[in-house]
Amino acid sequence: MEANPRSIGRLPAAFLTPGSSSFMDFLAEHQPAMLPRNRQLPAQGVIEAPHGTTIVAASFPGGVVLAGDRRATMGNIIAQRDIEKVFPADEYSAVGIAGTAGLAVEMVKLFQLELEHFEKVEGVQLSLEGKANRLSTMIRSNLGMAMQGLAVVPLFAGWDVDRQKGRIFSYDVTGGRSEEHGFAATGSGSLFARGALKKLFREDLTESQATTLVIQALYDAADDDSATGGPDLARRIYPIVTVITDEGFRKLTEAQLSEVVRAIHERRLEEPDGPRAALL
C-alpha cells in the first residue's frame, strides 16, 4: 500500500478503488498490521504502562461539557502531570480517554480518521449515534489487550444535530455502550466524581454552571483518588475542559479555566470537604 517514491506521484490502486466507508475496514484489507488488535503481545504477564484516569461529562440545554484531569500514573508513580485526555473526534463530538494512555491516544487518532474517512467517502457526517457505535466497535476489537491489563474505556459526548441536544455515551471494556442522561464519569476517580455530579447536577444548568460542575467533580475525585490529579495552581496545570454546542467543538482556554479554578479553590479553603449548600 505504500507509495513508490520513484513514481510520478500516482497513488497506489488501493487508494483509488471504491470500497467501504470504514477506515478500519480499509486498513484490515490493505495493511492489517497497522491495527492495534493485530499486534503480538507476550503470552503472559501484565505490561506496566502509564494510565490516564478520570473523565467527566455533563449536559446542559444548549450542549454538553466533557472534561478530564491531567494526571497519568504508572503503579504508584505519577508518570505525567499534564497529559491531555480529551480530544475532538470531529466538529460536533469529543472523546475523553481513561485506561492505558498510549493505546487510548492511538485509538482516538484512529477514531478521528474513521469519522473523517466516512465523511469523505459518503459525503455526509455520521449521525452521533453512528459515531458512538463505531467507537464501540473499536473498543471491542481491543478486548484481547484489555484482558492483559491494557484496557481503554473512553467517554464520548457530542451535539446531536438531528435531535438538537447534547448527548453522552459511556462504555465498558467489551465495547458495551450506554447512553447517560445528564452526567457521566469514567476512570479510577469516577465513583467520587459521580457523587459530586449527582449531588449538584440540574436540568437547567447554563454552560458556565456546567463547566463549574465538572471541575468541581474532578476536585472531589482528586480528593479521594490518588490517580486523579487536581488543578495545580503552582504549575498552572488545569483540567482539559471542552464544550460542544450547535456551533461545534470548543476547548476552554487557560485564562477561562484559571478564573473558574481559582474561584473553586478559594471556596475550598473555606469548606475543604466541599460546599454544604448548593454550589451553583
Side-chain angles (χ1 to χ4, degrees):
M1 191 175 77
E2 296 179 358
N4 182 359
R6 297 183 180 179
S7 71
I8 59 173
R10 182 175 299 171
L11 289 172
F15 291 93
L16 304 174
T17 304
S20 171
S21 59
S22 169
F23 184 73
M24 289 185 65
D25 291 345
F26 177 78
L27 279 184
E29 182 176 354
H30 299 288
Q31 200 77 358
M34 295 184 69
L35 288 172
R37 68 186 182 215
N38 292 330
R39 290 177 186 157
Q40 295 297 318
L41 293 177
Q44 57 185 2
V46 176
I47 299 173
E48 191 69 38
H51 279 66
T53 46
T54 312
I55 304 294
V56 297
S59 62
F60 61 96
V64 63
V65 177
L66 182 65
D69 79 301
R70 305 294 297 277
R71 178 175 292 178
T73 59
M74 192 161 56
N76 65 324
I77 297 173
I78 298 176
Q80 189 173 343
R81 298 180 187 276
D82 60 352
I83 187 174
E84 294 203 16
K85 304 177 187 177
V86 181
F87 305 88
D90 66 359
E91 183 182 1
Y92 289 103
S93 62
V95 58
I97 57 173
T100 308
L103 285 178
V105 171
E106 187 174 22
M107 182 177 291
V108 168
K109 291 179 179 178
L110 187 57
F111 184 50
Q112 292 169 334
L113 283 172
E114 176 80 0
L115 300 185
E116 184 177 354
H117 182 81
F118 179 92
E119 185 175 350
K120 288 184 176 180
V121 172
E122 299 293 338
V124 294
Q125 285 190 347
L126 264 173
S127 66
L128 192 67
E129 194 93 22
K131 297 171 192 175
N133 289 338
R134 291 289 176 104
L135 184 55
S136 180
T137 301
M138 295 177 69
I139 297 168
R140 190 175 300 113
S141 70
N142 190 59
L143 184 58
M145 290 189 174
M147 293 179 68
Q148 297 207 26
L150 302 177
V152 176
V153 187
L155 201 60
F156 177 65
W159 177 258
D160 191 322
V161 296
D162 298 319
R163 300 190 185 184
Q164 289 293 294
K165 60 183 290 189
R167 300 173 68 188
I168 304 167
F169 297 90
S170 64
Y171 300 85
D172 59 38
V173 293
T174 67
R177 191 209 78 180
S178 301
E179 181 171 0
E180 305 288 347
H181 299 285
F183 58 86
T186 190
S188 65
S190 60
L191 177 65
F192 311 108
R194 182 177 285 273
L197 292 166
K198 184 177 181 179
K199 178 175 62 177
L200 301 172
F201 177 79
R202 298 198 316 260
E203 295 287 347
D204 61 346
L205 293 175
T206 64
E207 179 184 319
S208 175
Q209 290 172 334
T211 299
T212 301
L213 171 59
V214 295
I215 296 176
Q216 180 70 68
L218 290 174
Y219 246 118
D220 281 6
D223 258 357
D224 294 294
D225 174 45
S226 62
T228 303
D232 190 332
L233 300 181
R235 296 184 175 91
R236 299 180 65 85
I237 299 174
Y238 307 119
I240 299 294
V241 181
T242 63
V243 181
I244 309 105
T245 66
D246 60 350
E247 296 180 353
F249 171 92
R250 184 175 81 256
K251 179 180 175 181
L252 298 193
T253 65
E254 182 179 293
Q256 291 172 314
L257 289 171
S258 174
E259 183 178 342
V260 178
V261 167
R262 290 183 185 279
I264 294 175
H265 182 71
E266 290 175 5
R267 188 173 299 174
R268 285 274 176 163
L269 293 177
E270 300 174 2
E271 299 179 275
D273 294 325
R276 287 183 289 272
L279 170 70
L280 304 173

